Amino acid sequence: MRWINVVWLGLLAAGSAAHAGELAPLPKLKLDQARIAVAGLSSGAYMATQAQLAYPEIFPAAALVAGGPYGCAGGKLDVALSACMKGVPAPDVAALVSRAALRSAAGEIGALKDLAHARVYLLHGKDDKVVAPLVAESAARFYEQLRDGTAGLKTLQVHDDGERVFAHNLPIAVSGDDCDKSVTPYLGRCGFDAAGEIFNQLYGKPAHAASEPKGELRRFDQNAFRPGGSDALLAAEGYVYLPPSCLAGKSCGLLVAFHGCKQNADAVGEAFVKDAGFNRWADVYGVAVLYPQTRASMAPLNPQACWDWWGYSGADYDSRHGVQLRWLMGVMSALGMPPRH
């Protein structure tokens, strides 16, 4: 069926197979509010930009890999599948910027002034056949037009990294024969350490090179954070990686890493949460990594476990009222984020 084949959005996801045993509660970390960031691949990139625009005061930094501009789908699946993936027609960036300003003024998303010192890193491959390079470039243009057309945002930093040759995947440091393909688990062996570059762009240059991760990768109960009991259409379990320094009670940053479609735990096991490269850099920077997990469903129609960037969870999916974003705020509060005022 056409909907089954296309709704996925090839938009990658993270891995995590459920294991037997009790799930420990999330630890209360000594979170450094200045070092909280969000990143995502494909549908996860769309989710990451939604998180940053909804809560710019919380996410001063974002990395978007193979994703398009905020608000692109406008709650319409047909637009998501055409303009926001294939770039036909091209996303109307100026209209999307104007719409974001209106939504900010209405309180549906955060105050745009809080993006004044934000950093946005946009990475996409020239050989991407799932999300067209034109769409990813539109995401960069969105932030640039937002910066140039909004008072007080001249210091918003936008880095568009779109000249690398790879397909629809997250490049990892090892080399192999799948860099030009979009195949499970969507970690392309391209000889380019995308995770390391994401940390560099969001947190600054590393103090030293990364080695094998020495912290703890833990599973946690995602259903415990259903906002007001509402189903956020997520998997029963998620993951969090805790570097040794965070476990020792030192000041700790936080990176929320959203997988893409067909890359969630049920689909690829722990490939994304263990092999994407984030954990070893997390040790270097003293940054915990939260790996939320989606679930596939037929009602609402999301058979490939994408994050909601077109409205399957409700019309307010990309606002502060969206159930998946409200769920995320609950998890971050549990991890030690101070209450918002």
Side-chain angles (χ1 to χ4, degrees):
M1 294 176 62
R2 179 176 180 270
W3 294 116
I4 305 301
N5 291 333
V6 290
V7 132
W8 40 207
L9 312 166
L11 306 162
L12 309 80
S16 94
H19 302 213
E22 293 297 319
L23 300 179
L26 285 172
K28 188 76 75 171
L29 304 174
K30 188 178 180 181
L31 282 186
D32 179 355
Q33 294 183 70
R35 296 196 301 135
I36 296 177
V38 64
L41 173 64
S42 202
S43 76
Y46 273 108
M47 191 64 185
T49 194
Q50 289 173 183
Q52 187 179 48
L53 268 291
Y55 302 104
E57 73 278 17
I58 294 174
F59 298 109
L64 315 178
V65 184
Y70 172 76
C72 186
K76 298 177 180 178
L77 179 58
D78 59 333
V79 176
L81 298 175
S82 55
C84 306
M85 291 187 63
K86 302 305 179 186
V88 181
D92 187 340
V93 175
L96 294 174
V97 170
S98 296
R99 176 64 176 155
L102 290 173
R103 298 191 74 184
S104 176
E108 296 176 15
I109 60 176
L112 296 182
K113 65 178 179 59
D114 289 330
L115 289 170
H117 300 291
R119 298 178 302 283
V120 185
Y121 173 54
L122 304 104
L123 173 67
H124 57 95
K126 298 177 73 172
D127 289 347
D128 195 327
K129 301 297 193 295
V130 177
V131 175
L134 167 64
V135 175
E137 288 294 323
S138 295
R141 302 294 87 76
F142 172 88
Y143 278 100
E144 290 169 350
Q145 290 188 27
L146 196 65
R147 176 195 64 198
D148 297 341
T150 306
L153 294 191
K154 299 304 181 187
T155 51
L156 168 60
Q157 299 177 42
V158 183
H159 182 184
D160 182 12
D161 188 349
E163 294 302 314
R164 302 179 191 272
V165 180
F166 62 93
H168 192 72
N169 54 50
L170 180 73
I172 58 177
V174 297
S175 298
D177 60 0
D178 62 354
C179 186
D180 61 347
K181 302 178 180 66
S182 180
V183 295
T184 187
Y186 308 102
L187 299 175
R189 292 170 291 179
C190 301
F192 167 56
D193 186 359
E197 186 59 23
I198 287 171
F199 268 91
N200 177 48
Q201 291 290 331
L202 301 188
Y203 296 106
K205 293 188 179 301
H208 55 82
S211 58
E212 290 302 307
K214 297 178 175 61
E216 295 182 13
L217 181 66
R218 298 181 182 177
R219 295 173 298 124
F220 70 96
D221 179 4
Q222 295 198 145
N223 286 329
F225 301 97
R226 289 188 174 196
S230 299
D231 187 358
L233 302 168
L234 303 179
E237 297 179 4
Y239 286 82
V240 62
Y241 177 78
L242 303 167
S245 60
C246 296
L247 289 168
K250 296 181 180 179
S251 178
C252 186
L254 177 67
L255 175 67
V256 181
F258 292 113
H259 63 68
C261 309
K262 298 193 296 185
Q263 197 191 24
N264 59 317
D266 292 337
V268 303
E270 294 183 333
F272 185 78
V273 301
K274 284 187 174 179
D275 301 332
F278 293 113
N279 299 344
R280 61 197 187 93
W281 286 109
D283 284 2
V284 174
Y285 285 84
V287 171
V289 185
L290 177 67
Y291 294 104
Q293 297 290 304
T294 59
R295 73 172 190 258
S297 65
M298 294 306 298
L301 188 60
N302 182 30
Q304 302 204 20
C306 305
W307 288 97
D308 188 7
W309 62 277
W310 71 87
Y312 70 75
S313 68
D316 53 8
Y317 66 97
D318 60 351
S319 77
R320 290 188 176 210
H321 308 298
V323 68
Q324 291 184 349
L325 286 171
R326 288 188 290 124
W327 175 91
L328 175 62
M329 290 301 101
V331 174
M332 294 182 64
S333 177
L335 286 168
M337 185 183 73
R340 294 185 300 115
H341 299 291

